[in-house]
Amino acid sequence: MSDLSRRQMFMKIATLFNGVVGALLAIPIVRYVLSPVTRAGKPGYESWISLGSIDQFPSGETRLATYRNPVAQVSDGETADIPCWVRHVDDSTFQVFAINCAHLGCPVRWFPQSGLFMCPCHGGAYYSDGSRASGPPERGLFEYPFKILDGKLQIQAGELLTPGPSASTNSKRPPCACA
Amino acid sequence: MRLRLIREIGAWLDERLQLGAPIRETMQHPIPRDTASWFYVFGSAAMTVFGLQLVTGILLALIYVPSAGEAWNSLQILNHQVSLGWFIRALHGWGSNFMVAIVLVHMVQVFLFGAYKFPRELTWILGIFLLLMTLGMAFTGQVLRFDQDAYWGLGIGASIASRVPIVGPAVVKLMLGGPIIAGATLSRFFALHVFVIPGSLMLFVALHVLLVVKVGINEWPMPGRLVRRADYREKYHALTHSQGVPFMPYGVWKDAVFSGAILLVIAACALYFGPFGPTGQPDPRVIQTAPRPDFFFLWLYALLSLLPPSLETPVLLIGPVIALIVLLALPFFSGEGEKSWKRRPIAVLTILLIAVALGTFTNLASHAPWSPVMDAWTGAPIPANFVSGRTPLQIQGALVFQSKQCHNCHALGEIGGKRGPALDAVAVRLTSDQLVRQVLQGGGNMPAYGKNLNPAETTALVAFLETLHPSGQAAARDASLRPGEQP
């Protein structure tokens, strides 16, 4: 074996060695980068949060409520204070809608006089029960599952709700299945 | 004496670095005589503005706090407390707009001059990525101006990303760095805007410029002088060596003048118009907001409002991919032939069509007729001529019109929303019965008001709407009835 081919073989071994080291390092790096996704699967982001006493929500009315997102850091500041619309239908029947328009997520506003939610961005409108009235949204408002515990209204929340095909499981569950 | 010392230090450095000769050679490389033109200054101007962005960006980073809870406050400190902080912000903001604009102009010039053809395909492809990165910088920069527009803009970005089949929800979490728009989101956009994209941008700019030097700048396109792979390099060599001129100073002085002028204009805009925002605090509880994107994304805002719902997702997800493929493939299916725009009508028409379309969308988005005017029902009264001389019932109808937010979507006398048709002459188009049906059942993109109007309100509202016709023109009537007959 000539000296040159010996060195070439060493070079190959060195390259292979670095490839192995690189691959080993890639594992933690990729897991670190994907952690926001993997976290969603394992412990999950959602939990039951109280919106306060049900007395705050008079029957037949729709009111704005806010909650602190269950997964929040100090650095989040006000961004972790999430608003939602609470509609007290009657007795123990509620509907809790996400603030985000089902089109592209802008904040919808409730107009009790006309019984409509209107979106300021692209003009989506929804009826008082959250169903689509007009405009670009392809569906009604997102709803949080709710339950009443010790006179307090609780919702299962923690994720930004988006219109994707397999978006949050929330939007598929009937609103009262867990009450 | 001093000059000699400088020269000696220079020689000492060059003996070790050995950069003098290649730099001199690059600056002196021959270029075709015609390219020392005012049309060839946009690339260098884009690079100069990029330099300005790097400097002002670093200056802003001295004060800016990339934390969701603090970013907005640090922008206020920059605007109001740090000496000339507002000016550095304004320079960076206006520099951003100018950089996007100049990159687009550069791209149009390169396209119309056929500069993407053989052998400059790779220069063009790198240029496409530079455009994407420039737009990426513009979007991430808008996010770092962490205000209401940035917050809800991220929501729009997430909503678009969520529509990607299968991986949509995962993409949203990667983009936001967690389940909601919050601290982690701002941190990762900061990393993108300050490290990832500028780093790649510098590398790609270096390669792009290296190619311009190595392959040679595009000669002035002459109608009839066709590009052929077989003999292009020889012809170009002849062009540069027989009638060529050295880049320095023939071409470079115009670059320098134009770059300087652009910097001056940016500084003037910064001085006169000041910095962009920030708008309200990024507090999601403040929902009295109508988020708008920055200038260069306004066309997209219009597109998202005007596309039919069923087409939206395909257009959003497939459109950019097709556009990118067409741009990247362009130098390969059109790599030879005519370079001059004078003999390429389709190229010129394509540019005109795109410019008119983008201009129209941008113009529309600055009015946003598709957005309801959320406060028209309380803030925009019905013009007096629409209520004077009306009966009490009709006046009551006008009150219903206001109180039920009809005015948010329907204009009267140019005042009010433009989401729905203006109602100045609605009585000419619809009979009384048709008006009742439209109000109660909705349709044609209008919500149904049946549940929210009692019979008295409906009667009054329709009585008011029936008065809305020009004075010389009668209201519509049911043709099956005799005049005056009630149905």
Side-chain angles (χ1 to χ4, degrees):
Chain A
M1 191 185 268
S2 76
D3 190 51
L4 182 64
S5 63
R6 240 171 94 83
R7 304 296 147 183
Q8 277 169 341
M9 191 187 72
F10 284 155
M11 188 61 228
K12 278 179 192 156
I13 291 172
T15 310
L16 190 70
F17 173 62
N18 273 281
V20 171
V21 172
L24 281 175
L25 276 175
I27 295 170
I29 290 173
V30 168
R31 287 188 63 176
Y32 172 83
V33 169
L34 291 181
S35 63
V37 180
T38 45
R39 159 85 206 254
K42 271 266 181 64
Y45 288 117
E46 292 186 329
S47 50
W48 287 97
I49 313 149
S50 171
L51 292 179
S53 163
I54 52 170
D55 301 336
Q56 298 174 63
F57 307 105
S59 184
E61 289 194 21
T62 300
R63 296 234 169 141
L64 192 68
T66 58
Y67 62 88
R68 184 82 182 161
N69 202 61
V71 184
Q73 323 290 334
V74 180
S75 67
D76 290 344
E78 289 155 335
T79 56
D81 294 323
I82 309 292
C84 57
W85 290 109
V86 178
R87 177 185 184 224
H88 190 169
V89 185
D90 54 32
D91 299 333
S92 60
T93 314
F94 285 82
Q95 278 187 299
V96 185
F97 304 113
I99 197 76
N100 304 94
C101 181
H103 177 225
L104 289 173
C106 287
V108 294
R109 268 182 257 176
W110 166 244
F111 290 89
Q113 298 81 4
S114 51
L116 291 175
F117 293 96
M118 289 191 210
C119 177
C121 284
H122 306 97
Y126 307 85
Y127 292 115
S128 57
D129 63 353
S131 58
R132 177 191 177 277
S134 73
E138 289 188 90
R139 47 159 294 158
L141 288 171
F142 305 111
E143 276 187 55
Y144 297 107
F146 77 95
K147 66 183 180 188
I148 295 163
L149 203 69
D150 302 332
K152 295 217 164 67
L153 179 64
Q154 294 202 332
I155 59 166
Q156 194 183 11
E159 275 185 42
L160 176 74
L161 299 176
T162 46
S166 55
S168 169
T169 45
N170 263 351
S171 49
K172 282 186 190 138
R173 273 176 249 163
C176 308
C178 42
Chain B
M1 174 64 200
R2 196 173 292 166
L3 258 178
R4 222 186 72 193
L5 186 68
I6 291 174
R7 208 174 299 141
E8 272 176 17
I9 293 174
W12 185 89
L13 284 172
D14 198 47
E15 204 186 324
R16 282 150 186 85
L17 289 169
Q18 300 183 20
L19 282 174
I23 288 175
R24 226 167 295 134
E25 194 191 335
T26 305
M27 295 311 285
Q28 295 295 327
H29 83 278
I31 56 169
R33 185 79 172 80
D34 292 335
T35 61
S37 148
W38 287 108
F39 277 100
Y40 281 64
V41 295
F42 302 112
S44 62
M47 206 162 78
T48 307
V49 179
F50 180 44
L52 174 76
Q53 294 304 87
L54 286 178
V55 173
T56 51
I58 291 169
L59 292 175
L60 292 176
L62 299 179
I63 307 289
Y64 182 77
V65 184
S67 150
E70 297 297 326
W72 191 84
N73 292 329
S74 69
L75 294 175
Q76 295 298 341
I77 289 170
L78 271 166
N79 271 4
H80 301 296
Q81 290 179 25
V82 178
S83 177
L84 288 174
W86 66 271
F87 185 63
I88 303 298
R89 278 202 68 227
L91 277 180
H92 198 67
W94 281 100
S96 153
N97 275 352
F98 272 84
M99 186 163 160
V100 177
I102 294 172
V103 164
L104 289 176
V105 170
H106 178 51
M107 190 174 168
V108 168
Q109 184 265 329
V110 160
F111 176 70
L112 289 180
F113 280 53
Y116 61 87
K117 290 175 190 263
F118 178 86
R120 298 183 182 80
E121 303 94 333
L122 189 57
T123 327
W124 169 263
I125 289 169
L126 289 173
I128 300 299
F129 286 105
L130 285 171
L131 171 74
L132 293 180
M133 287 178 206
T134 305
L135 292 176
M137 286 303 278
F139 182 76
T140 53
Q142 186 188 329
V143 170
L144 294 201
R145 191 183 66 223
F146 204 56
D147 56 13
Q148 281 178 337
D149 285 356
Y151 179 88
W152 297 107
L154 281 167
I156 293 174
S159 298
I160 294 174
S162 76
R163 299 182 183 197
V164 180
I166 303 163
V167 294
V171 174
V172 171
K173 302 232 165 35
L174 271 185
M175 177 188 156
L176 301 183
I180 57 168
I181 304 160
T185 318
L186 182 59
S187 294
R188 62 185 46 209
F189 274 84
F190 183 77
L192 284 174
H193 188 79
V194 174
F195 299 110
V196 182
I197 309 181
S200 338
L201 205 52
M202 280 190 257
L203 178 70
F204 275 66
V205 166
L207 290 174
H208 193 69
V209 173
L210 181 75
L211 276 174
V212 173
V213 174
K214 292 279 176 198
V215 186
I217 193 144
N218 186 38
E219 78 282 2
W220 188 271
M222 301 293 273
R225 189 161 70 195
L226 303 184
V227 177
R228 275 189 218 91
R229 287 194 172 86
D231 62 355
Y232 178 79
R233 284 180 197 272
E234 280 166 45
K235 283 185 178 168
Y236 185 77
H237 190 264
L239 212 56
T240 48
H241 285 79
S242 63
Q243 20 162 331
V245 289
F247 174 59
M248 173 88 179
Y250 281 82
V252 86
W253 76 267
K254 285 178 179 162
D255 285 304
V257 168
F258 186 74
S259 292
I262 285 291
L263 288 183
L264 206 60
V265 173
I266 292 173
C269 285
L271 203 61
Y272 187 74
F273 298 106
F276 293 94
T279 63
Q281 273 173 286
D283 183 342
R285 290 170 299 183
V286 181
I287 59 167
Q288 281 74 19
T289 175
R292 294 284 180 271
D294 280 4
F295 181 78
F296 281 105
F297 298 101
L298 277 176
W299 63 273
L300 189 61
Y301 169 49
L303 197 66
L304 289 170
S305 308
L306 299 175
L307 277 173
S310 55
L311 274 181
E312 212 174 84
T313 303
V315 168
L316 275 178
L317 300 181
I318 302 169
V321 178
I322 293 177
L324 192 61
I325 290 173
V326 168
L327 284 173
L328 292 177
L330 178 71
F332 299 104
F333 62 75
S334 160
E336 291 189 306
E338 190 65 64
K339 267 188 177 177
S340 172
W341 69 92
K342 291 176 183 163
R343 300 256 175 104
R344 290 164 57 219
I346 293 174
V348 176
L349 283 175
T350 306
I351 291 291
L352 283 178
L353 185 69
I354 293 172
V356 168
L358 290 182
T360 309
F361 281 138
T362 304
N363 183 42
L364 267 175
S366 56
H367 303 300
W370 49 80
S371 298
V373 178
M374 304 291 266
D375 56 1
W377 66 294
T378 50
I382 297 176
N385 58 313
F386 288 96
V387 283
S388 67
R390 305 300 205 265
T391 67
L393 180 67
Q394 290 160 353
I395 300 277
Q396 187 60 38
L399 284 174
V400 173
F401 181 82
Q402 285 295 85
S403 67
K404 294 292 177 183
Q405 283 98 21
C406 306
H407 213 173
N408 289 15
C409 290
H410 294 285
L412 279 175
E414 298 286 309
I415 297 172
K418 296 189 172 63
R419 171 85 207 163
L423 299 183
D424 298 41
V426 69
V428 178
R429 298 194 298 271
L430 299 176
T431 66
S432 164
D433 283 1
Q434 287 170 323
L435 282 168
V436 172
R437 196 216 62 80
Q438 182 65 31
V439 167
L440 296 185
Q441 297 180 16
N445 211 17
M446 174 172 156
Y449 283 79
K451 283 187 195 159
N452 291 293
L453 287 172
N454 60 39
E457 286 170 331
T458 309
T459 308
L461 178 62
V462 171
F464 170 63
L465 294 176
E466 278 191 284
T467 67
L468 300 176
H469 56 89
S471 52
Q473 205 173 349
R477 63 179 188 86
D478 190 340
S480 66
L481 302 174
R482 275 189 296 278
E485 186 187 354
Q486 292 296 316

